[in-house]
Amino acid sequence: LRLPRWMIGGSAVLNENFLRLTPDRASKRGYAWHTDAMNMEHFTVSTYFRVSGQGSSLFGDGFAVWLTTSNRYREGPLHGFSETFTGIGIVFDTFRNLESG
């Protein structure tokens, strides 16, 4: 399957009804990136996410939604994306940190 104007890579797999960013395994990364840069003043985002796995606990670090002016994915340490970008990143951190604060 292909999704026009989207780059899908890493561990991501496009199925008929959904996109799975990563399998339920350790150390996996996946992404879906729209190839058109976002150059607008106003926009609306409406989406549905499901975080699930086979175990009783969720593992992994989480996922992020990036709204940037970049028309291509740039891998980096900030939940999978580059630390240098113009736009906004919304991070959903699912890792339970043991440090206090």
Side-chain angles (χ1 to χ4, degrees), residues 5-67:
R5 298 176 12 195
W6 286 84
M7 294 185 329
I8 297 170
S11 299
V13 175
L14 179 62
N15 292 301
E16 189 172 323
N17 298 312
F18 63 92
L19 172 70
R20 181 181 311 277
L21 291 176
T22 61
D24 188 13
R25 301 290 174 260
S27 303
K28 298 295 180 186
R29 257 186 195 183
Y31 64 88
W33 196 266
H34 201 278
T35 56
D36 294 343
M38 190 172 154
N39 294 312
M40 59 190 78
E41 289 185 32
H42 306 283
F43 60 91
T44 300
V45 176
S46 192
T47 188
Y48 173 80
F49 297 106
R50 185 176 96 183
V51 178
S52 63
Q54 296 177 9
S56 60
S57 298
L58 295 177
F59 293 95
D61 291 329
F63 64 96
V65 176
W66 301 99
L67 305 171

Side-chain angles (χ1 to χ4, degrees), residues 33 36-39 66-71 81 85-88:
W33 196 266
D36 294 343
M38 190 172 154
N39 294 312
W66 301 99
L67 305 171
T68 77
T69 57
S70 178
N71 65 348
F81 192 57
F85 66 93
T86 301
I88 185 171

